[in-house]
Amino acid sequence: MFHLRSEVARLQAAVKGFGSVSGRRDIASVKASIETAYRRDFEAAVRDRIHTVPLPDGTVLCRVLGRYKLYVDAEDTSLAPHLMMDGLWQYWITAFLCRNLDRGETAYDLEAGYGYYALLMSELVGTQGRVIALEYNPWLFQLLRRNLYLNGRDSIVVPHRVIAAGQAAAAKELPVSLTGPPAVANQAVQFRRGQAASCIAPAMTLDGLEPGSADLVLVSASALEQNALQGMRGLMDRSPSLKIILDFRADRCANPRETLDDLAARYPLRFIDSDGRAKPTTVEKILDQGSLNLFLSVIEPR
């Protein structure tokens, strides 16, 4: 009974502290809210702010993380339902970013999509930092730019319509998993669903995209398939404190063991668990699991 009362008191204190930071109907800072609340309380506060508005162009305007407004595609059956119904995507990565990306830093978001992580990164790095967001899909890139502008983050986030690849190429044909309606007459034609299975996009290495070092790179499974890691070796070399969050999927690698062995030679292998904490792992465990969010850095994670 004593332990039960202690747990209840602890929960009440946490909820009270969370309310003082975020309020009943607002979330002023994602970072502060995550740091002062249990996961279930944070998710409840985010859901409390959910609001969706269908629009004539086939998009839906929704609120995510309790504060950002996002245009998403109404026919998207992958990410959009989570953003519209939960206002949140991958809590563990969201929480990990909040603890491990700081003011004034430079971050990359590969395959940025609607800009969920790019917007969060922009809040974390602040006006003195910088976020580079890559998205090759023409319709998603259009929505990404609209979302950055809508939330006033276009001065912090620099979007590029390119694919991060192992080597630079003038153009690359890529599959289109989500396309959109045609643009108005004075804009470039977009791809409609069912009319095109692929699109053309420039392919560039991260080494050659922008000069300087980076503090954090978020690598999607799609970027992994395009050998983005091979095209950022120079960025790794000139960024000694680089932190990499990698959506590793063995089926997206031509040689998954070779890829992991190469990474293990550079960095301690850790995976980001469901609680948002990085924990040690091995090549064998990763291959056995098949799919994990990895954290790669010589810096100890928080």
Side-chain angles (χ1 to χ4, degrees), residues 4 59 88 111 151 174 180 186 191 260 262 269 279:
L4 179 60
T59 63
L88 182 68
E111 308 301 314
N151 290 278
L174 300 161
N186 63 344
F191 294 87
L260 290 172
D262 183 55
L269 294 179
K279 301 172 183 178

Side-chain angles (χ1 to χ4, degrees), residues 34-271:
I34 281 182
E35 288 178 343
T36 56
Y38 291 105
R39 173 175 176 173
R40 59 181 176 272
D41 298 320
F42 174 75
E43 291 178 340
V46 168
R47 290 193 184 98
D48 191 45
R49 295 274 291 163
I50 287 173
H51 189 61
T52 58
V53 181
L55 298 174
D57 66 349
T59 63
V60 177
L61 180 62
C62 62
R63 183 184 289 120
V64 301
L65 289 171
R67 59 188 279 109
Y68 299 120
K69 303 173 185 70
L70 239 63
Y71 294 105
V72 301
D73 191 286
E75 295 188 27
D76 174 17
T77 58
S78 56
L79 177 57
H82 298 278
L83 297 179
M84 290 189 290
M85 295 293 99
D86 298 327
L88 182 68
W89 174 244
Q90 293 183 323
Y91 169 86
W92 53 97
I93 302 297
T94 301
F96 190 81
L97 277 172
C98 287
R99 284 195 298 272
N100 290 278
L101 186 60
D102 298 317
R103 294 281 177 181
E105 293 191 332
T106 297
Y108 283 75
D109 183 8
L110 309 190
E111 308 301 314
Y114 300 120
Y116 173 89
Y117 284 125
L119 286 169
L120 176 59
M121 289 174 173
S122 71
E123 176 183 322
L124 298 173
V125 303
T127 56
Q128 301 303 311
R130 198 157 180 264
V131 178
I132 298 94
L134 278 61
E135 176 54 56
Y136 74 82
N137 183 299
W139 172 232
L140 286 179
F141 183 72
Q142 181 178 318
L143 292 181
L144 170 64
R145 294 183 64 183
R146 286 169 62 181
N147 289 332
L148 296 176
Y149 180 79
L150 177 63
N151 290 278
R153 302 292 172 155
D154 48 322
S155 62
I156 301 175
V157 183
V158 180
H160 293 281
R161 199 181 86 79
V162 301
I163 182 72
Q167 58 185 9
K172 192 168 187 175
E173 187 171 2
L174 300 161
V176 176
S177 58
L178 175 66
T179 57
V184 296
N186 63 344
Q187 292 180 331
V189 174
Q190 304 296 320
F191 294 87
R192 283 184 181 271
R193 272 181 212 85
Q195 290 187 350
S198 63
C199 68
I200 303 298
M204 296 190 66
T205 65
L206 256 60
D207 291 343
L209 185 63
E210 296 204 2
S213 61
D215 299 285
L216 186 143
V217 179
L218 180 62
V219 184
S220 71
S222 177
L224 176 65
E225 186 178 22
Q226 300 299 328
N227 299 316
L229 293 175
Q230 294 180 16
M232 58 182 285
R233 295 180 188 274
L235 182 63
M236 293 178 186
D237 292 339
R238 63 180 185 257
S239 307
S241 60
L242 182 64
K243 299 173 284 253
I244 300 173
I245 299 175
L246 171 64
D247 182 9
F248 180 85
R249 299 186 189 180
D251 60 355
R252 294 294 185 97
C253 284
N255 192 328
R257 181 177 292 278
E258 182 179 318
T259 299
L260 290 172
D261 286 339
D262 183 55
L263 291 172
R266 278 182 176 265
Y267 306 112
L269 294 179
R270 303 181 180 96
F271 76 101

